[in-house]
Amino acid sequence: MSASEQTNWQSVHDEVLRRIHTREWKPGDQIPKEVELAEQLGCARATVNRALRELAAEGFLDRRRKAGTRVSTHPVRRAKLDIPVIRLEIEGRGQKYGYGLLLSERRTPTPEVCANLGVSAKSDMLHITSLHLADRKPYMFEERWVSIDTVPEIVDADLSAISANEWLVLHAPYTKGDISFSAVLATETEAKILRTHAGAPLFLMERMTWEHDAGITAARLLFAPGYRMHSAI
Amino acid sequence: MSASEQTNWQSVHDEVLRRIHTREWKPGDQIPKEVELAEQLGCARATVNRALRELAAEGFLDRRRKAGTRVSTHPVRRAKLDIPVIRLEIEGRGQKYGYGLLLSERRTPTPEVCANLGVSAKSDMLHITSLHLADRKPYMFEERWVSIDTVPEIVDADLSAISANEWLVLHAPYTKGDISFSAVLATETEAKILRTHAGAPLFLMERMTWEHDAGITAARLLFAPGYRMHSAI
């Protein structure tokens, strides 16, 4: 796409948003057809289409094949969260990254991991715990299960040199992933590792990935107190 | 866009992803030019372009104007979070929504609100606290500041009948928003309102919105223990 085409759909996008914001088009209103808008704004129909698709993805418009396009009455706003490799997240904050492998052992998975990741109780898995540091302070405590059946190469990886997080990003692309966020209290063990006190509030990120239906990994990422995840909406 | 065009770029998307997953194209590899791919796959160059843009947005490809397109070495995966009106979130879980206004008063903003939202200390603001219920149980405690300077109509809204959250979605579309997530401990007051105990782990969502540079609202949304935010990645 050239720079001028880019400006074009972007300016249609902005003009439509202006009409929504000034209530020229009110919530629930049907907006003009793409051809009409293209004529009004003096551009190609494809340009209008691109702009409207974007506005629908952003939650401002409801597009239905037969009913036409309406201004959302209850826009579901979407936040995009970037989930980078943890090393890059820390370095991106201008801090020095550090990493330590705490434990790596072949084990049969717990019933919880089996249920969540959809793997059999006889699966061959690697159980890994590690600590990620920012400027030498504990930043995130990672507890992870990796399926050796799905990713056999991980057995030969030197996980004391590269984190499982980073190794998996490089070697085990996934087709399906799942993420959730919640608040928990630090247990005695977690508090010791994160150098805080038991009962401190921790931000918990749980991630699972699959290659089609084969479970790759299930990770429990516990961030040290004070962690805030941030995004534009 | 017709259904067949949709299928078309989607199938190019899937084929490119297949090549990345099977390591036919490895991290860091330069992939063929759009024209070459279009020829290989027997489709229009625009279709390939649409698919590659999507894959770049999903973090699988790095596209640089001059250097061409490469398979990401450190893909930043993006999670899309839907931020619906809280009533619809609760009803979407199949639960009965309830709502109670706790307090609504005109006040000068706190220094913290001024700094975060970028409003003056002399601003005319509405300070609102309310409780959202799911099946009669506390679900979320909302503490919110709304700028009367920016949204004067809120003074006439009946906030005992409609939540400020929903009123704002209907009446004050924003051009810029900001969201963050963290874990905190319930204070005595918050615990009483959410019917839990002081020191319980709470998921905190902080949201701010602006119409261009004019601050609209700053909200502190505290979810009852057990809340989990979830998304596909």
Side-chain angles (χ1 to χ4, degrees):
Chain A
M1 185 176 293
S2 77
S4 74
E5 281 169 290
Q6 184 98 27
T7 316
N8 228 347
W9 76 258
Q10 195 64 56
S11 68
V12 172
H13 171 281
D14 293 351
E15 170 58 17
V16 170
L17 202 53
R18 189 194 64 76
R19 294 183 185 187
I20 295 172
H21 279 158
T22 57
R23 326 299 283 172
E24 189 174 319
W25 295 346
K26 296 181 189 62
D29 278 3
Q30 183 146 16
I31 73 164
K33 292 210 172 72
E34 285 183 11
V35 267
E36 284 171 50
L37 272 176
E39 209 163 288
Q40 274 180 33
L41 302 171
C43 66
R45 182 176 166 184
T47 309
V48 171
N49 180 280
R50 172 93 171 85
L52 298 188
R53 266 196 284 126
E54 200 74 20
L55 286 158
E58 289 166 7
F60 291 105
L61 295 175
D62 276 336
R63 281 155 67 79
R64 296 210 181 124
R65 205 160 293 268
K66 293 211 172 125
T69 300
R70 292 178 181 277
V71 178
S72 298
T73 44
H74 286 99
V76 172
R77 294 303 293 262
R78 287 184 191 99
K80 284 179 200 156
L81 289 175
D82 284 349
I83 318 276
V85 168
I86 191 73
R87 175 174 66 77
L88 299 180
E89 174 175 326
I90 290 170
E91 290 174 353
R93 299 157 59 107
Q95 297 185 295
K96 193 175 145 42
Y97 175 69
Y99 161 78
L101 180 66
L102 302 177
L103 173 152
S104 170
E105 53 174 5
R106 269 173 110 132
R107 272 188 56 187
T108 49
T110 63
E112 199 196 346
V113 170
C114 292
N116 290 340
L117 203 56
V119 295
S120 115
K122 289 179 205 147
S123 301
D124 190 7
M125 293 197 89
L126 205 58
H127 182 225
I128 304 157
T129 56
S130 62
L131 182 65
H132 302 263
L133 304 130
D135 284 345
R136 294 171 192 269
K137 288 197 198 85
Y139 183 85
M140 190 259 277
F141 170 48
E142 171 176 346
E143 189 194 353
R144 186 184 284 276
W145 292 82
V146 182
S147 166
I148 296 174
D149 297 333
T150 311
V151 202
E153 305 86 358
I154 195 153
V155 173
D156 302 317
D158 178 5
L159 297 177
S160 63
I162 181 172
S163 77
N165 172 234
E166 193 153 352
W167 187 90
L168 285 167
V169 165
L170 289 171
H171 298 90
Y174 54 91
T175 52
K176 200 171 70 171
D178 187 288
I179 194 163
S180 64
F181 309 96
S182 54
V184 294
L185 299 182
T187 64
E188 289 281 353
T189 312
E190 290 159 357
K192 237 174 239 165
I193 292 169
L194 287 169
R195 280 189 236 152
T196 181
H197 52 90
L202 304 182
F203 188 85
L204 170 63
M205 190 183 287
E206 289 165 290
R207 279 204 295 218
M208 286 182 287
T209 57
W210 292 266
E211 164 99 46
H212 301 289
D213 289 328
I216 298 175
T217 191
R220 219 173 152 267
L221 313 176
L222 273 174
F223 292 82
Y227 181 79
R228 257 175 125 220
M229 199 170 65
H230 178 260
S231 168
I233 42 175
Chain B
M1 186 177 292
S2 76
S4 73
E5 280 170 291
Q6 185 98 29
T7 316
N8 227 348
W9 76 257
Q10 196 64 59
S11 68
V12 172
H13 171 280
D14 294 350
E15 170 58 17
V16 169
L17 202 52
R18 190 194 63 76
R19 294 184 186 185
I20 295 173
H21 279 157
T22 56
R23 327 297 284 172
E24 191 175 316
W25 294 345
K26 296 182 190 63
D29 277 3
Q30 183 145 16
I31 72 166
K33 292 210 173 71
E34 285 183 12
V35 268
E36 283 172 49
L37 271 176
E39 207 163 288
Q40 274 179 35
L41 302 171
C43 65
R45 184 176 164 182
T47 310
V48 171
N49 180 281
R50 171 94 172 84
L52 298 189
R53 267 197 284 126
E54 199 74 22
L55 286 158
E58 290 166 5
F60 291 106
L61 295 175
D62 277 334
R63 279 154 69 79
R64 300 218 176 119
R65 206 162 290 267
K66 293 209 173 132
T69 300
R70 292 179 181 276
V71 177
S72 297
T73 43
H74 285 98
V76 172
R77 294 304 291 260
R78 285 181 193 101
K80 284 180 199 159
L81 289 175
D82 285 349
I83 318 277
V85 169
I86 191 77
R87 176 174 66 77
L88 299 181
E89 175 174 325
I90 291 170
E91 290 175 354
R93 298 157 59 106
Q95 295 184 295
K96 193 174 144 41
Y97 176 69
Y99 161 76
L101 180 67
L102 303 177
L103 173 151
S104 171
E105 54 174 4
R106 270 172 108 131
R107 272 188 57 188
T108 49
T110 63
E112 199 195 347
V113 169
C114 292
N116 290 340
L117 203 55
V119 296
S120 115
K122 289 178 205 148
S123 302
D124 190 8
M125 294 196 88
L126 206 58
H127 182 224
I128 303 156
T129 56
S130 63
L131 182 65
H132 302 262
L133 304 132
D135 285 344
R136 295 171 192 270
K137 288 196 198 88
Y139 184 84
M140 189 259 277
F141 170 48
E142 171 175 345
E143 188 195 353
R144 185 185 284 277
W145 291 82
V146 182
S147 166
I148 297 173
D149 298 333
T150 311
V151 201
E153 306 85 359
I154 194 152
V155 173
D156 301 317
D158 178 5
L159 296 179
S160 62
I162 182 172
S163 77
N165 171 235
E166 194 154 353
W167 187 90
L168 285 166
V169 165
L170 289 171
H171 299 90
Y174 55 90
T175 52
K176 200 171 70 171
D178 188 288
I179 195 163
S180 65
F181 309 95
S182 54
V184 294
L185 298 183
T187 63
E188 289 281 354
T189 313
E190 291 159 356
K192 239 174 237 164
I193 293 168
L194 288 169
R195 279 189 237 150
T196 181
H197 52 89
L202 304 181
F203 188 84
L204 170 63
M205 190 183 288
E206 289 165 292
R207 277 204 296 219
M208 286 182 286
T209 58
W210 292 265
E211 163 100 45
H212 301 288
D213 288 330
I216 298 175
T217 193
R220 218 173 152 268
L221 313 176
L222 271 175
F223 292 82
Y227 181 80
R228 258 175 125 219
M229 198 171 67
H230 177 260
S231 167
I233 43 175

